[in-house]
Amino acid sequence: VSPSWKRPGGGGRAVARRLWRPPQWSLVQICSHLAVFYAIAAFAFVIQPAWLAIGNSRSSVVIGTFWLVFVLSLGLYGFVCFADTRYREGTEDTASVLWDSEPRICDDCSASITHKRAKHCQVCNKCIGGFDHHCRYLNVCVGSRTYTPWYCFVVSLFALMAFCSYSAVHALTTPESYHLASVSLVAFYGVAGLQVCISSLLSLFLFSLSAQHLFFIREGITTLEYIKDQAAGFPGVPPPSWREHVSRGECYSCIEAMEVVEVHDPNQVWFCNVCQVDLSRAGVEFYTCPSCENVSVCPVCRSVARDRRRAIVTYRTSALRRVADAQVYKDVLGSSCTSRLSSVSGTIRAPRLSRRTFSAAVAAVEGHTGENVRRNSFCTLGASDPRDVEEVADDEYESGSSTGEA
C-alpha cells in the first residue's frame, strides 16, 4: 500500500479510549436469559428429583447427557461473549484479501481494512472481522472468530430447550410422580405449564434460527449479506483500477457513462462500491451505472478518485451527509477535469428493497446489522467513548428506519 495515501485531517478521530467498560444489559437480554434460566431451573428442581428417584440407568444417562450439554453450552456462551472479535490487519483470513486493491479506512476507529466482510459495529463501536450480525440476546457481535462457536451454542441451547419442553409435557401427564404435586397441585401445574410454554417457544425459535444459518453456511453468505441482499463478500474492498474511470465519470466495470441518482426511500438497497457506505440511508445524490446495476459511487469517493494522495474513508451515513454537502458543488460543478457524468438528477430507478422474507424476519429478531447506537455491549474492549449528541441522535434516527434494526 502506498504510504502517500493519507487520511483526511491526519490521524484518527480524537477520542478517549478505555480497556473495559462494565456491561449494561438490555431488556431483551434480561428477558431471554431469565427465560432460559427458568426452563433449566424448573427441570433441575422439579422434574430431575423424580427421575432420579426411579433409580434406573436410563434416567441417569439422560440426566447426565443433559448436564453435559449444559456445560458445553455454558462454555460456548462464555467464549462467544468475551472473545475479542475486533478486526486486526494481518490476522484475518488471507482468502478475503484482494491484493491489487486499495485499503479503506474506517472513520470511527481509523482501522485500515484490506479484507472483505469487515464492518464497524456502532453498538460495540469497533470494526469486526468477518462481521455476520450483532446478536440482540447476547449483545455481542458475531464475526469470523466466533461464528462457529456461536452456531454450536445455538444448536446446544436448542437441544436443552427441546428436552426441557419434553420433560415438562411428560410431567404434566404424570403429576403423581412429583413431590411438588403432592404439596400443591396448582403450583405444580403452574410451574410445569409455564416451563412448557417458555421452552417450547424457545425451541421453535432456536430451531428456525439454526436451520436458517445452516442455509447461510451452505450458500456461503452472512446474515448481513442476506438481509441487505448483497453478494458474498460484503462489505467489500475498493475494486481495482477504479480511480481513473470514476474520476472521468465512467463505470470502472463497463466504461459506460455514470448518471446522478438520488433515492428517497431508506429501505432501498444502494451501497457505494468503493467505501461501502449505505447510500439510501445517507440520503445523498450518488453516481451509478445504468448498465451495471450494482456499480454505484458516492460523491465523496468520486472526489477521492481525482486525488491519489487521499485515502478511501468509510463514513457513517450522517457523517457522509455532512462531508458530501460540504464538497458536492466543488466536486461536480467546479471540477476542471473531463467528466462523462449525466446531468440528470433524481433519475427514477426500479426499487431495490431489502429482503422482506420470513428468514429475514427471523434474522432481524435474533440480530441486526450493527447500525444501532447503544452503549450496552459485552464487546466494548477497546471501544471509544460516546461522541457528540447530535451525531448519535442522527444515527439513532437512521437506525430506526433500517431493516433489522431495533
Side-chain angles (χ1 to χ4, degrees):
V1 177
S2 171
S4 62
W5 289 334
K6 301 292 184 181
R7 186 182 186 278
R13 180 178 293 186
V15 290
R17 296 181 181 274
R18 61 180 68 177
L19 291 179
W20 178 254
R21 181 185 301 118
Q24 300 176 4
W25 286 45
S26 66
L27 180 62
V28 174
Q29 272 184 286
I30 295 174
C31 292
S32 60
H33 282 69
L34 286 178
V36 172
F37 175 79
Y38 177 85
I40 295 176
F43 170 79
F45 295 105
V46 177
I47 300 175
Q48 179 179 263
W51 287 20
L52 291 176
I54 298 175
N56 59 39
S57 58
R58 180 183 176 183
S59 299
S60 301
V61 170
V62 170
I63 293 173
T65 303
F66 175 86
W67 290 114
L68 182 64
V69 175
F70 172 78
V71 171
L72 175 63
S73 178
L74 196 62
L76 292 169
Y77 169 85
F79 178 82
V80 172
C81 285
F82 295 101
D84 188 5
T85 55
R86 185 173 33 184
Y87 175 85
R88 287 188 176 88
E89 193 65 35
T91 61
E92 302 295 324
D93 183 12
T94 55
S96 63
V97 181
L98 293 181
W99 300 105
D100 54 349
S101 295
E102 300 178 32
R104 58 183 177 91
I105 297 176
C106 176
D107 182 54
D108 289 279
C109 58
S110 300
S112 179
I113 298 171
T114 58
H115 294 70
K116 298 177 181 179
R117 290 176 171 169
K119 184 183 186 300
H120 187 90
C121 177
Q122 294 180 17
V123 181
C124 304
N125 208 6
K126 62 183 179 182
C127 283
I128 306 298
F131 182 90
D132 186 86
H133 69 283
H134 184 94
C135 180
R136 298 182 191 275
Y137 303 100
L138 302 183
N139 207 9
V140 294
C141 273
V142 178
S144 57
R145 296 188 185 95
T146 56
Y147 183 78
T148 300
W150 173 83
Y151 183 74
C152 293
F153 167 73
V154 171
V155 173
S156 62
L157 189 59
F158 162 69
L160 291 176
M161 293 300 101
F163 182 77
C164 287
S165 178
Y166 164 77
S167 63
V169 171
H170 182 271
L172 288 174
T173 59
T174 56
E176 65 278 358
S177 304
Y178 299 90
H179 175 70
L180 181 61
S182 62
V183 176
S184 174
L185 194 60
V186 174
F188 173 78
Y189 278 116
V191 171
L194 184 59
Q195 183 186 7
V196 170
C197 295
I198 291 177
S199 55
S200 297
L201 289 175
L202 289 175
S203 299
L204 180 61
F205 172 70
L206 291 169
F207 174 77
S208 302
L209 184 64
S210 59
Q212 178 195 50
H213 278 270
L214 189 62
F215 167 76
F216 291 167
I217 294 171
R218 187 178 72 87
E219 295 295 318
I221 60 176
T222 64
T223 303
L224 178 67
E225 292 163 356
Y226 184 81
I227 292 178
K228 295 296 186 181
D229 198 13
Q230 298 294 299
F234 174 81
V237 293
S241 307
W242 68 278
R243 287 181 181 259
E244 179 180 357
H245 297 294
V246 172
S247 62
R248 296 199 301 262
E250 299 173 347
C251 173
Y252 58 80
S253 179
C254 65
I255 322 301
E256 291 288 332
M258 303 182 78
E259 62 182 20
V260 183
V261 177
E262 183 176 6
V263 177
H264 299 285
D265 185 0
N267 290 321
Q268 291 194 31
V269 181
W270 294 96
F271 288 90
C272 176
N273 292 81
V274 179
C275 68
Q276 309 298 310
V277 72
D278 191 333
L279 297 171
S280 300
R281 291 180 61 219
V284 297
E285 290 186 345
F286 57 94
Y287 313 104
T288 185
C289 177
S291 301
C292 305
E293 284 294 323
N294 293 322
V295 175
S296 302
V297 179
C298 71
V300 176
C301 287
R302 183 171 183 267
S303 176
V304 170
R306 298 200 294 264
D307 187 354
R308 289 189 171 273
R309 294 173 300 176
R310 293 180 60 184
I312 304 163
V313 180
T314 301
Y315 294 98
R316 293 192 184 196
T317 53
S318 56
L320 178 72
R321 257 199 320 268
R322 291 193 288 268
V323 174
D325 289 343
Q327 70 177 23
V328 66
Y329 295 106
K330 179 182 68 175
D331 293 341
V332 177
L333 302 178
S335 176
S336 60
C337 64
T338 303
S339 175
R340 297 180 58 193
L341 284 172
S342 169
S343 60
V344 179
S345 178
T347 304
I348 303 299
R349 302 293 296 271
R352 304 167 58 202
L353 300 177
S354 301
R355 292 185 185 270
R356 302 296 191 204
T357 62
F358 173 76
S359 296
V362 173
V365 169
E366 191 279 330
H368 61 78
T369 57
E371 295 163 359
N372 185 26
V373 177
R374 289 176 299 170
R375 304 293 184 225
N376 51 348
S377 175
F378 264 129
C379 47
T380 50
L381 184 62
S384 58
D385 286 342
R387 298 175 188 82
D388 55 285
V389 177
E390 179 182 358
E391 181 170 348
V392 171
D394 284 344
D395 289 322
E396 287 179 338
Y397 172 77
E398 292 161 4
S399 63
S401 60
S402 176
T403 300
E405 301 301 307

